[in-house]
Amino acid sequence: MPPRTPSSSGADRTDSDTGQERLLSAAVRLAGELPTARRLGILRGWGRTDRDRARLLRERLAHHGIHCIELSAVPEAGERHRGPQGRQRPRVGLLLHADRSQYDQALRAAALWDLPLLIERPSREEPGALTSFGAHRRPVIGVHLPGGALDIAVRQATITCLQPHPGSAYLLLDNEKLTAPAARPLQVGLTADGTLEVRSDAFATRRVRRLRYERPWGVYRLDIDGTPAHDVRAPLRLEPMPGRLHLLHP
């Protein structure tokens, strides 16, 4: 780890401050090399502290000629069903997330909008030098909702029935048709090679490329990365989306 640099107040910077400085320096360098990066979206939460932090970053980046807009990585209060997937793709070339919290939400927003994301490395990895970047692409789970909308799960999607005595659910796992008790939650994750891993107490774990889930009646709930996201009636389709998440690390 690089030594901590004293702040102007004479106190050591916190790890969060140091991480933000790395990200800010990386954003400035990227903007100098990539014209599209001169329009940048700052992902933030909707709390007062999140807004203040994003405003300060926006002001500092403006001094370097970088045009920034603030974007919420998580739904505002009352927006459970209107997360980033319900908003128009922002007109920016790069996203920046400078807060250690809401990590998965920032990844999900970047994947939904199909935009590269500059973000701190996971805590288990050492930061790189400011002259180099780490970049990689990750698969995500694409969830095709009724009406043609797309949602993204970074880690896992879970389907849970909301009614007593729900009857059966009908699954199409690639070309395999399967009937299972709808009362049993269905968990869908990603394997290391980017295929779907479908788990339920009702049948043995399957690894597939496509999943279709349907119930003849009633409502079921779709959780995205552990958070309730949608109440659904019509069939769902899930598939892996290789390389959809493009991450940059300083």
PDB file of all heavy atoms in Angstrom, residues 7 55 70 83 94-95 102 106 119 122 124 131 145 163 170 173 175-176 189 192-193 208 216 225 243 248:
ATOM      1  N   SER A   7      -2.993  15.506   4.973  1.00  0.00           N
ATOM      2  CA  SER A   7      -3.950  16.417   4.365  1.00  0.00           C
ATOM      3  C   SER A   7      -3.581  17.843   4.704  1.00  0.00           C
ATOM      4  O   SER A   7      -2.711  18.113   5.536  1.00  0.00           O
ATOM      5  CB  SER A   7      -5.361  16.108   4.877  1.00  0.00           C
ATOM      6  OG  SER A   7      -5.445  16.418   6.250  1.00  0.00           O
ATOM      7  N   ARG A  55     -21.100  16.466  -5.135  1.00  0.00           N
ATOM      8  CA  ARG A  55     -20.983  17.866  -5.545  1.00  0.00           C
ATOM      9  C   ARG A  55     -19.530  18.329  -5.496  1.00  0.00           C
ATOM     10  O   ARG A  55     -19.041  19.004  -6.414  1.00  0.00           O
ATOM     11  CB  ARG A  55     -21.851  18.746  -4.647  1.00  0.00           C
ATOM     12  CG  ARG A  55     -21.718  20.250  -4.943  1.00  0.00           C
ATOM     13  CD  ARG A  55     -22.595  21.057  -4.008  1.00  0.00           C
ATOM     14  NE  ARG A  55     -22.342  20.754  -2.612  1.00  0.00           N
ATOM     15  CZ  ARG A  55     -21.316  21.261  -1.902  1.00  0.00           C
ATOM     16  NH1 ARG A  55     -20.452  22.095  -2.489  1.00  0.00           N
ATOM     17  NH2 ARG A  55     -21.163  20.944  -0.633  1.00  0.00           N
ATOM     18  N   GLU A  70     -24.609  14.259 -11.994  1.00  0.00           N
ATOM     19  CA  GLU A  70     -24.806  13.338 -10.883  1.00  0.00           C
ATOM     20  C   GLU A  70     -25.933  12.371 -11.226  1.00  0.00           C
ATOM     21  O   GLU A  70     -26.984  12.775 -11.728  1.00  0.00           O
ATOM     22  CB  GLU A  70     -25.126  14.099  -9.602  1.00  0.00           C
ATOM     23  CG  GLU A  70     -23.985  14.992  -9.132  1.00  0.00           C
ATOM     24  CD  GLU A  70     -24.329  15.751  -7.863  1.00  0.00           C
ATOM     25  OE1 GLU A  70     -25.161  15.237  -7.076  1.00  0.00           O
ATOM     26  OE2 GLU A  70     -23.790  16.846  -7.659  1.00  0.00           O
ATOM     27  N   GLY A  83     -35.813   1.609 -10.862  1.00  0.00           N
ATOM     28  CA  GLY A  83     -34.386   1.779 -10.711  1.00  0.00           C
ATOM     29  C   GLY A  83     -33.764   2.286 -11.995  1.00  0.00           C
ATOM     30  O   GLY A  83     -34.451   2.766 -12.898  1.00  0.00           O
ATOM     31  N   LEU A  94     -18.362   7.848 -19.467  1.00  0.00           N
ATOM     32  CA  LEU A  94     -17.714   7.126 -18.379  1.00  0.00           C
ATOM     33  C   LEU A  94     -18.488   7.384 -17.095  1.00  0.00           C
ATOM     34  O   LEU A  94     -18.984   8.498 -16.869  1.00  0.00           O
ATOM     35  CB  LEU A  94     -16.261   7.599 -18.216  1.00  0.00           C
ATOM     36  CG  LEU A  94     -15.438   7.010 -17.070  1.00  0.00           C
ATOM     37  CD1 LEU A  94     -15.153   5.526 -17.324  1.00  0.00           C
ATOM     38  CD2 LEU A  94     -14.126   7.785 -16.897  1.00  0.00           C
ATOM     39  N   LEU A  95     -18.607   6.364 -16.256  1.00  0.00           N
ATOM     40  CA  LEU A  95     -19.209   6.500 -14.934  1.00  0.00           C
ATOM     41  C   LEU A  95     -18.126   6.422 -13.873  1.00  0.00           C
ATOM     42  O   LEU A  95     -17.127   5.713 -14.029  1.00  0.00           O
ATOM     43  CB  LEU A  95     -20.240   5.394 -14.694  1.00  0.00           C
ATOM     44  CG  LEU A  95     -21.453   5.364 -15.619  1.00  0.00           C
ATOM     45  CD1 LEU A  95     -22.290   4.121 -15.337  1.00  0.00           C
ATOM     46  CD2 LEU A  95     -22.294   6.625 -15.463  1.00  0.00           C
ATOM     47  N   GLN A 102     -22.714   0.825  -1.466  1.00  0.00           N
ATOM     48  CA  GLN A 102     -23.539   0.678  -2.668  1.00  0.00           C
ATOM     49  C   GLN A 102     -22.724   0.184  -3.866  1.00  0.00           C
ATOM     50  O   GLN A 102     -22.948   0.570  -5.011  1.00  0.00           O
ATOM     51  CB  GLN A 102     -24.236   2.000  -2.997  1.00  0.00           C
ATOM     52  CG  GLN A 102     -25.138   2.492  -1.884  1.00  0.00           C
ATOM     53  CD  GLN A 102     -25.523   3.947  -2.029  1.00  0.00           C
ATOM     54  OE1 GLN A 102     -25.086   4.625  -2.948  1.00  0.00           O
ATOM     55  NE2 GLN A 102     -26.333   4.429  -1.113  1.00  0.00           N
ATOM     56  N   ALA A 106     -23.812   0.212  -7.939  1.00  0.00           N
ATOM     57  CA  ALA A 106     -23.053   0.932  -8.964  1.00  0.00           C
ATOM     58  C   ALA A 106     -22.717   0.013 -10.133  1.00  0.00           C
ATOM     59  O   ALA A 106     -22.824   0.411 -11.304  1.00  0.00           O
ATOM     60  CB  ALA A 106     -21.776   1.507  -8.353  1.00  0.00           C
ATOM     61  N   ILE A 119     -13.992   2.648 -10.754  1.00  0.00           N
ATOM     62  CA  ILE A 119     -14.373   2.331  -9.383  1.00  0.00           C
ATOM     63  C   ILE A 119     -13.166   1.762  -8.663  1.00  0.00           C
ATOM     64  O   ILE A 119     -12.246   1.220  -9.291  1.00  0.00           O
ATOM     65  CB  ILE A 119     -15.552   1.321  -9.387  1.00  0.00           C
ATOM     66  CG1 ILE A 119     -16.189   1.185  -8.007  1.00  0.00           C
ATOM     67  CG2 ILE A 119     -15.128  -0.031  -9.940  1.00  0.00           C
ATOM     68  CD1 ILE A 119     -17.509   0.425  -8.020  1.00  0.00           C
ATOM     69  N   PRO A 122     -11.722  -4.021  -5.457  1.00  0.00           N
ATOM     70  CA  PRO A 122     -12.177  -4.675  -4.226  1.00  0.00           C
ATOM     71  C   PRO A 122     -11.097  -4.619  -3.156  1.00  0.00           C
ATOM     72  O   PRO A 122      -9.906  -4.585  -3.463  1.00  0.00           O
ATOM     73  CB  PRO A 122     -12.446  -6.118  -4.690  1.00  0.00           C
ATOM     74  CG  PRO A 122     -12.717  -6.008  -6.151  1.00  0.00           C
ATOM     75  CD  PRO A 122     -11.855  -4.877  -6.641  1.00  0.00           C
ATOM     76  N   ARG A 124      -9.651  -6.607  -1.323  1.00  0.00           N
ATOM     77  CA  ARG A 124      -8.610  -7.638  -1.271  1.00  0.00           C
ATOM     78  C   ARG A 124      -7.485  -7.381  -2.261  1.00  0.00           C
ATOM     79  O   ARG A 124      -6.457  -8.054  -2.221  1.00  0.00           O
ATOM     80  CB  ARG A 124      -9.226  -9.013  -1.552  1.00  0.00           C
ATOM     81  CG  ARG A 124      -9.803  -9.157  -2.941  1.00  0.00           C
ATOM     82  CD  ARG A 124     -10.419 -10.527  -3.138  1.00  0.00           C
ATOM     83  NE  ARG A 124     -10.999 -10.676  -4.466  1.00  0.00           N
ATOM     84  CZ  ARG A 124     -12.214 -10.302  -4.796  1.00  0.00           C
ATOM     85  NH1 ARG A 124     -12.995  -9.745  -3.878  1.00  0.00           N
ATOM     86  NH2 ARG A 124     -12.677 -10.475  -6.025  1.00  0.00           N
ATOM     87  N   THR A 131      -0.082   5.626 -13.003  1.00  0.00           N
ATOM     88  CA  THR A 131       0.288   5.580 -14.414  1.00  0.00           C
ATOM     89  C   THR A 131      -0.311   4.377 -15.122  1.00  0.00           C
ATOM     90  O   THR A 131      -0.081   4.186 -16.310  1.00  0.00           O
ATOM     91  CB  THR A 131       1.821   5.534 -14.556  1.00  0.00           C
ATOM     92  OG1 THR A 131       2.315   4.407 -13.823  1.00  0.00           O
ATOM     93  CG2 THR A 131       2.449   6.806 -14.024  1.00  0.00           C
ATOM     94  N   LEU A 145     -37.864  -8.724 -18.591  1.00  0.00           N
ATOM     95  CA  LEU A 145     -39.125  -8.564 -17.882  1.00  0.00           C
ATOM     96  C   LEU A 145     -40.291  -8.491 -18.853  1.00  0.00           C
ATOM     97  O   LEU A 145     -40.106  -8.236 -20.051  1.00  0.00           O
ATOM     98  CB  LEU A 145     -39.076  -7.291 -17.035  1.00  0.00           C
ATOM     99  CG  LEU A 145     -37.998  -7.246 -15.946  1.00  0.00           C
ATOM    100  CD1 LEU A 145     -37.794  -5.830 -15.460  1.00  0.00           C
ATOM    101  CD2 LEU A 145     -38.382  -8.162 -14.795  1.00  0.00           C
ATOM    102  N   GLN A 163     -47.845 -16.118  -2.799  1.00  0.00           N
ATOM    103  CA  GLN A 163     -49.179 -16.585  -2.437  1.00  0.00           C
ATOM    104  C   GLN A 163     -49.126 -17.968  -1.801  1.00  0.00           C
ATOM    105  O   GLN A 163     -48.248 -18.779  -2.152  1.00  0.00           O
ATOM    106  CB  GLN A 163     -50.071 -16.632  -3.681  1.00  0.00           C
ATOM    107  CG  GLN A 163     -50.314 -15.262  -4.299  1.00  0.00           C
ATOM    108  CD  GLN A 163     -51.160 -15.357  -5.552  1.00  0.00           C
ATOM    109  OE1 GLN A 163     -51.040 -16.315  -6.295  1.00  0.00           O
ATOM    110  NE2 GLN A 163     -52.002 -14.373  -5.778  1.00  0.00           N
ATOM    111  N   TYR A 170     -43.425 -23.625 -14.264  1.00  0.00           N
ATOM    112  CA  TYR A 170     -42.955 -24.308 -15.465  1.00  0.00           C
ATOM    113  C   TYR A 170     -41.660 -23.644 -15.928  1.00  0.00           C
ATOM    114  O   TYR A 170     -41.624 -22.439 -16.185  1.00  0.00           O
ATOM    115  CB  TYR A 170     -44.014 -24.262 -16.553  1.00  0.00           C
ATOM    116  CG  TYR A 170     -45.322 -24.859 -16.084  1.00  0.00           C
ATOM    117  CD1 TYR A 170     -46.377 -24.042 -15.677  1.00  0.00           C
ATOM    118  CD2 TYR A 170     -45.493 -26.241 -16.008  1.00  0.00           C
ATOM    119  CE1 TYR A 170     -47.567 -24.580 -15.227  1.00  0.00           C
ATOM    120  CE2 TYR A 170     -46.674 -26.793 -15.553  1.00  0.00           C
ATOM    121  CZ  TYR A 170     -47.712 -25.956 -15.168  1.00  0.00           C
ATOM    122  OH  TYR A 170     -48.883 -26.499 -14.704  1.00  0.00           O
ATOM    123  N   LEU A 173     -35.184 -24.933 -19.207  1.00  0.00           N
ATOM    124  CA  LEU A 173     -33.755 -24.814 -18.924  1.00  0.00           C
ATOM    125  C   LEU A 173     -33.003 -25.245 -20.179  1.00  0.00           C
ATOM    126  O   LEU A 173     -32.877 -26.442 -20.434  1.00  0.00           O
ATOM    127  CB  LEU A 173     -33.375 -25.682 -17.722  1.00  0.00           C
ATOM    128  CG  LEU A 173     -34.141 -25.382 -16.422  1.00  0.00           C
ATOM    129  CD1 LEU A 173     -34.004 -26.529 -15.447  1.00  0.00           C
ATOM    130  CD2 LEU A 173     -33.638 -24.087 -15.809  1.00  0.00           C
ATOM    131  N   ASN A 175     -33.097 -26.538 -23.362  1.00  0.00           N
ATOM    132  CA  ASN A 175     -34.171 -27.253 -24.057  1.00  0.00           C
ATOM    133  C   ASN A 175     -34.892 -28.246 -23.145  1.00  0.00           C
ATOM    134  O   ASN A 175     -35.722 -29.022 -23.615  1.00  0.00           O
ATOM    135  CB  ASN A 175     -33.609 -27.996 -25.281  1.00  0.00           C
ATOM    136  CG  ASN A 175     -33.081 -27.030 -26.320  1.00  0.00           C
ATOM    137  OD1 ASN A 175     -33.689 -25.998 -26.576  1.00  0.00           O
ATOM    138  ND2 ASN A 175     -31.941 -27.361 -26.915  1.00  0.00           N
ATOM    139  N   GLU A 176     -34.586 -28.209 -21.852  1.00  0.00           N
ATOM    140  CA  GLU A 176     -35.202 -29.140 -20.912  1.00  0.00           C
ATOM    141  C   GLU A 176     -36.416 -28.496 -20.247  1.00  0.00           C
ATOM    142  O   GLU A 176     -36.310 -27.437 -19.633  1.00  0.00           O
ATOM    143  CB  GLU A 176     -34.191 -29.551 -19.832  1.00  0.00           C
ATOM    144  CG  GLU A 176     -34.773 -30.484 -18.777  1.00  0.00           C
ATOM    145  CD  GLU A 176     -33.827 -30.724 -17.618  1.00  0.00           C
ATOM    146  OE1 GLU A 176     -32.792 -30.027 -17.551  1.00  0.00           O
ATOM    147  OE2 GLU A 176     -34.129 -31.592 -16.774  1.00  0.00           O
ATOM    148  N   GLY A 189     -27.668 -17.903 -10.166  1.00  0.00           N
ATOM    149  CA  GLY A 189     -26.387 -17.221 -10.049  1.00  0.00           C
ATOM    150  C   GLY A 189     -25.547 -17.427 -11.295  1.00  0.00           C
ATOM    151  O   GLY A 189     -26.028 -17.929 -12.324  1.00  0.00           O
ATOM    152  N   ALA A 192     -18.202 -19.655 -12.749  1.00  0.00           N
ATOM    153  CA  ALA A 192     -16.930 -19.019 -13.123  1.00  0.00           C
ATOM    154  C   ALA A 192     -16.791 -18.856 -14.630  1.00  0.00           C
ATOM    155  O   ALA A 192     -16.137 -17.922 -15.107  1.00  0.00           O
ATOM    156  CB  ALA A 192     -15.759 -19.831 -12.572  1.00  0.00           C
ATOM    157  N   ASP A 193     -17.419 -19.746 -15.410  1.00  0.00           N
ATOM    158  CA  ASP A 193     -17.316 -19.634 -16.868  1.00  0.00           C
ATOM    159  C   ASP A 193     -18.467 -18.843 -17.480  1.00  0.00           C
ATOM    160  O   ASP A 193     -18.617 -18.791 -18.708  1.00  0.00           O
ATOM    161  CB  ASP A 193     -17.229 -21.019 -17.516  1.00  0.00           C
ATOM    162  CG  ASP A 193     -18.477 -21.861 -17.278  1.00  0.00           C
ATOM    163  OD1 ASP A 193     -19.383 -21.403 -16.544  1.00  0.00           O
ATOM    164  OD2 ASP A 193     -18.549 -22.977 -17.820  1.00  0.00           O
ATOM    165  N   VAL A 208     -26.983 -23.778 -17.125  1.00  0.00           N
ATOM    166  CA  VAL A 208     -27.625 -23.601 -18.429  1.00  0.00           C
ATOM    167  C   VAL A 208     -27.257 -22.233 -19.015  1.00  0.00           C
ATOM    168  O   VAL A 208     -26.689 -21.372 -18.329  1.00  0.00           O
ATOM    169  CB  VAL A 208     -29.167 -23.710 -18.299  1.00  0.00           C
ATOM    170  CG1 VAL A 208     -29.558 -25.087 -17.779  1.00  0.00           C
ATOM    171  CG2 VAL A 208     -29.723 -22.620 -17.385  1.00  0.00           C
ATOM    172  N   PRO A 216     -48.910 -20.228 -14.075  1.00  0.00           N
ATOM    173  CA  PRO A 216     -50.175 -19.975 -14.768  1.00  0.00           C
ATOM    174  C   PRO A 216     -50.994 -18.847 -14.155  1.00  0.00           C
ATOM    175  O   PRO A 216     -51.821 -18.247 -14.831  1.00  0.00           O
ATOM    176  CB  PRO A 216     -50.899 -21.323 -14.653  1.00  0.00           C
ATOM    177  CG  PRO A 216     -50.293 -21.984 -13.464  1.00  0.00           C
ATOM    178  CD  PRO A 216     -48.859 -21.554 -13.450  1.00  0.00           C
ATOM    179  N   ASP A 225     -29.921  -9.296  -6.605  1.00  0.00           N
ATOM    180  CA  ASP A 225     -28.776  -9.189  -5.690  1.00  0.00           C
ATOM    181  C   ASP A 225     -29.231  -9.015  -4.247  1.00  0.00           C
ATOM    182  O   ASP A 225     -28.687  -8.203  -3.496  1.00  0.00           O
ATOM    183  CB  ASP A 225     -27.845  -8.050  -6.116  1.00  0.00           C
ATOM    184  CG  ASP A 225     -27.225  -8.298  -7.479  1.00  0.00           C
ATOM    185  OD1 ASP A 225     -26.935  -9.465  -7.787  1.00  0.00           O
ATOM    186  OD2 ASP A 225     -27.035  -7.330  -8.232  1.00  0.00           O
ATOM    187  N   GLY A 243     -19.342 -10.144 -20.634  1.00  0.00           N
ATOM    188  CA  GLY A 243     -18.624  -8.895 -20.875  1.00  0.00           C
ATOM    189  C   GLY A 243     -19.446  -7.641 -20.776  1.00  0.00           C
ATOM    190  O   GLY A 243     -18.969  -6.557 -21.109  1.00  0.00           O
ATOM    191  N   LEU A 248     -13.025  -0.317 -14.720  1.00  0.00           N
ATOM    192  CA  LEU A 248     -11.690   0.281 -14.719  1.00  0.00           C
ATOM    193  C   LEU A 248     -11.286   0.558 -13.266  1.00  0.00           C
ATOM    194  O   LEU A 248     -12.077   1.102 -12.506  1.00  0.00           O
ATOM    195  CB  LEU A 248     -11.678   1.583 -15.518  1.00  0.00           C
ATOM    196  CG  LEU A 248     -12.100   1.496 -16.983  1.00  0.00           C
ATOM    197  CD1 LEU A 248     -12.263   2.907 -17.568  1.00  0.00           C
ATOM    198  CD2 LEU A 248     -11.071   0.725 -17.794  1.00  0.00           C
TER     199      LEU A 248
END
